[in-house]
Amino acid sequence: MIEIRNVSKFFGAFQVLKDCNASIARGEVVVICGPSGSGKSTFIKTVNGLETIDSGEIVVGNFRLAPGVTNLATLRRTVGMVFQNFELFPHLTVLSNVTIAQTKVLRRPKAEAEEKARALLARVGLSAHLSKHPAQLSGGQQQRVAIARALALDPDVMLFDEPTSALDPEMVNEVLDVMTSLAKQGMTMVCVTHEMGFARGVANRVFFMDGGEIVETADAATFFDDPKSERAKAFLAKILKH
Amino acid sequence: MRVDLAALVSAWPFLMKGLWFTLEITLVGVAGGVIFGSLLAVARLSQNRVLSGFATAYVNLMRSIPLILVIFWVFFLVPWAIGWLTNHGRPVAVGASLTIFTTFVLFEAAYYAEIVRAGFRSISPGQYSACEALGLSKFHAYIYILFPQAIRNVLPILLTQTIILFQDTSLVYVISATDLLGAATKIAQRDGRLVEMYLTVGVIYFVFCYAASQFVKQLQGRLSYGARP
């Protein structure tokens, strides 16, 4: 589903991504973890072209992304994204947030788009809030709307960029529950997250990044029980101490 | 000295005609200025160097010269320019109203552009990413997502600038157009009723501007997204 080959990226002289290679199968759930500043967010954003790459190529489904490829409409339709800070549209209602891309990008008729939006919002447990504005919802609710908004375009892949990092602790689980059920339904997911419980319980594989490199890829159980690299060991020792 | 209210009564219809023209200039100035200004703002924020360079130069030029000079330029130079462009050789007369509307749109657009640009910059960069990630075209993103938020964020400043525009319309006296102040001046000089006329228009300007500024104040309280029903 996703092939990442020799991807490098620079911010000025600083190399954020160093020759990254990875392959993600359809239906696979991958968690990317690593210390802050390791390039996780940049990496995930290259997959839908929010960050450009300086060399290498990324293939998502039938779409090939390489340096200089600018028409990303097809890619964006294939890949949904959920942001750390939700980024819902504050001037639109919850329902409109989930319909707008359907009507403007996919040109679905309004009634059909709304029906789809209602179904998705029911799925994430927000049927009671359709006509509210995002600011009237809790962080966890907002993030669930954001997930519904991304799903509305029927993506083949969902990217999650630290979806629970901006949430109060008691709201983390409601978002993780939605992500877990999505994973169970066979969605291909790439998640940058510090939720190690989710990584262990739901992810098929873990990519460990450090210093712009994918240092280690392993299935989830192996990664947590028996990490190979010293850097991953040191990282896990730090985050799993308490 | 006696204040003669009868003079006011007979002059009232003429004053109202002047007021109407003042309001017309304001409305055209706001509508045209905000539209042209928004385009300038988008151009200034564009990645395209030529486009942003042109918009920046335009805005800086307009903001660096007095309105009165722009009125003169448009009034005296545009007829020559049209004459030259259409090979007439002679200047082509352009009506005072058209001159004034054009001037105010061109001039105010520079100010509105800066306000709208501030509005765009107040939107979190994540909103731009969200639009991109959803595959919205630039046009759709601006029309449905970014512009409404930008305008909302700067609505109070936008209205404050409009109050200034309303007062600036009085400058059209330099080409003898009959706005509210122009009407008052003409009657004041004809009838020698300076006090009555200038007091009256002062009150009218005050009522409009004060009401508008109170409205702005109220609006500021209601503009937070959370407070919506």
Side-chain angles (χ1 to χ4, degrees):
Chain A
M1 186 75 224
I2 306 176
E3 294 289 336
I4 291 155
R5 296 189 195 109
N6 308 108
V7 167
S8 290
K9 178 178 176 66
F10 294 84
F11 285 142
F14 178 71
Q15 190 168 5
V16 262
L17 295 178
K18 293 177 187 159
D19 197 30
C20 294
N21 284 282
S23 176
I24 297 165
R26 185 176 286 277
E28 205 175 9
V29 177
V30 168
V31 159
I32 303 173
C33 64
S36 94
S38 59
K40 310 181 294 283
S41 270
T42 310
F43 177 77
I44 201 173
K45 283 177 182 162
T46 60
V47 177
N48 70 342
L50 280 185
E51 293 279 3
T52 56
I53 56 176
D54 293 316
S55 62
E57 63 170 2
I58 298 173
V59 178
V60 182
N62 299 322
F63 191 91
R64 182 178 166 276
L65 181 67
V69 174
T70 50
N71 187 0
L72 303 177
T74 322
L75 176 65
R76 299 274 164 73
R77 239 171 280 168
T78 321
V79 182
M81 182 157 205
V82 174
F83 297 87
Q84 180 175 359
N85 294 315
F86 330 134
E87 301 303 347
L88 294 177
F89 304 132
H91 60 301
L92 300 178
T93 62
V94 166
L95 190 66
S96 301
N97 263 282
V98 185
T99 53
I100 183 132
Q102 295 186 66
T103 53
K104 302 305 167 202
V105 179
L106 301 183
R107 300 183 188 287
R108 275 190 190 137
K110 193 161 184 252
E112 194 186 316
E114 282 190 358
E115 194 182 326
K116 173 103 188 168
R118 279 174 211 279
L120 284 169
L121 286 163
R123 198 162 130 194
V124 298
L126 290 170
S127 289
H129 306 284
L130 300 183
S131 55
K132 287 188 180 166
H133 282 80
Q136 293 168 288
L137 302 180
S138 71
Q141 291 171 323
Q142 290 190 51
Q143 194 60 297
R144 285 184 281 152
V145 175
I147 294 172
R149 180 177 71 175
L151 289 173
L153 300 181
D154 301 317
D156 294 330
V157 178
M158 284 284 284
L159 307 177
F160 294 84
D161 185 11
E162 304 207 24
T164 57
S165 301
L167 296 177
D168 290 336
E170 75 268 27
M171 294 168 186
V172 168
N173 280 329
E174 62 190 67
V175 171
L176 291 181
D177 287 347
V178 170
M179 290 170 63
T180 304
S181 78
L182 204 55
K184 288 205 177 113
Q185 286 158 20
M187 176 63 77
T188 311
M189 291 164 60
V190 184
C191 321
V192 173
T193 180
H194 299 294
E195 299 297 334
M196 291 303 139
F198 175 81
R200 192 188 263 270
V202 181
N204 302 112
R205 278 195 299 156
V206 175
F207 292 3
F208 174 70
M209 288 187 76
D210 190 20
E213 291 172 273
I214 300 178
V215 177
E216 187 166 343
T217 69
D219 63 78
T222 312
F223 178 76
F224 286 105
D225 298 335
D226 185 20
K228 296 284 175 294
S229 65
E230 287 306 316
R231 284 194 273 184
K233 280 178 195 167
F235 175 73
L236 285 172
K238 265 184 221 155
I239 60 163
L240 297 176
K241 195 152 51 176
H242 298 289
Chain B
M1 190 190 133
R2 278 184 52 240
V3 172
D4 184 2
L5 284 179
L8 197 59
V9 172
S10 68
W12 193 251
F14 191 59
L15 283 181
M16 285 303 102
K17 248 174 107 180
L19 175 62
W20 177 241
F21 187 52
T22 292
L23 292 174
E24 262 184 337
I25 304 170
T26 309
L27 285 177
V28 172
V30 174
V34 168
I35 293 170
F36 183 36
S38 300
L39 293 174
L40 283 170
V42 174
R44 265 199 99 166
L45 293 169
S46 149
Q47 307 277 344
N48 185 327
R49 290 256 178 91
V50 180
L51 210 59
S52 73
F54 168 79
T56 306
Y58 180 89
V59 168
N60 286 334
L61 176 72
M62 276 299 175
R63 279 159 47 102
S64 310
I65 45 183
L67 174 56
I68 213 162
L69 194 57
V70 182
I71 297 175
F72 273 134
W73 277 359
V74 176
F75 191 60
F76 291 113
L77 295 184
V78 166
W80 284 100
I82 295 176
W84 183 71
L85 284 172
T86 56
N87 274 328
H88 269 268
R90 279 175 290 116
V92 174
V94 177
S97 302
L98 193 58
T99 301
I100 290 163
F101 291 152
T102 313
T103 309
F104 274 84
V105 169
L106 292 179
F107 186 82
E108 294 298 329
Y111 287 85
Y112 285 124
E114 286 302 90
I115 296 170
V116 174
R117 189 166 71 104
F120 280 124
R121 298 196 69 130
S122 72
I123 301 172
S124 87
Q127 290 282 307
Y128 292 81
S129 299
C131 292
E132 277 190 65
L134 285 170
L136 289 168
S137 66
K138 274 232 161 81
F139 179 74
H140 281 152
Y142 268 105
I143 293 289
Y144 295 105
I145 309 296
L146 304 171
F147 188 67
Q149 289 187 59
I151 289 292
R152 200 185 167 89
N153 291 347
V154 294
L155 200 54
I157 320 173
L158 220 55
L159 288 173
T160 307
Q161 177 62 32
T162 305
I163 295 173
I164 299 173
L165 163 60
F166 177 72
Q167 295 172 359
D168 280 353
T169 56
S170 57
L171 287 176
V172 302
Y173 83 89
V174 295
I175 56 170
S176 303
T178 310
D179 70 319
L180 178 58
L181 185 63
T185 306
K186 280 172 190 170
I187 292 180
Q189 288 172 356
R190 186 194 65 186
D191 300 348
R193 292 289 168 200
L194 294 149
V195 178
E196 290 87 343
M197 290 304 140
Y198 287 132
L199 261 181
T200 307
V201 292
V203 169
I204 296 175
Y205 276 115
F206 176 81
V207 166
F208 271 88
C209 293
Y210 187 73
S213 69
Q214 288 306 302
F215 176 66
V216 171
K217 222 174 181 181
Q218 273 221 326
L219 204 63
Q220 275 169 327
R222 277 191 292 160
L223 272 181
S224 75
Y225 289 112
R228 284 186 142 193

